[in-house]
Amino acid sequence: MQIAIDDCAKRRLTERVDIMTAVNILESRGVPREDLVVEMTKIFYVDLDEFNRVMRRS
């Protein structure tokens, strides 16, 4: 059995400032607010509790 090595692992977004930066970038590119979490989880592993806190504050 061969084991696949994933050399393009997703980055983890767990810090508030990193999540806010990703949100700001996606919003500046025209991603609707309701689609932010979907787009972010395509690219990153996101701490969803922290993401929800960030979204409530903005």
Side-chain angles (χ1 to χ4, degrees):
M1 183 169 128
Q2 244 181 354
I3 298 174
I5 298 174
D6 187 10
D7 60 347
C8 54
K10 291 181 180 181
R11 181 173 171 218
R12 295 183 187 277
L13 289 185
T14 57
E15 298 296 323
R16 180 174 303 201
V17 67
D18 294 333
I19 294 171
M20 288 172 54
T21 301
V23 165
N24 290 336
I25 291 170
L26 290 172
E27 284 182 331
S28 73
R29 293 183 180 176
V31 175
R33 193 167 178 85
E34 61 272 5
D35 294 339
L36 286 173
V37 73
V38 173
E39 294 303 315
M40 287 178 65
T41 55
K42 288 179 184 177
I43 304 167
F44 305 106
Y45 290 115
V46 181
D47 179 340
L48 295 178
D49 291 330
E50 192 64 35
F51 174 82
N52 287 327
R53 280 187 215 102
V54 166
M55 296 308 289
R56 277 194 300 265
R57 291 179 186 248
S58 58

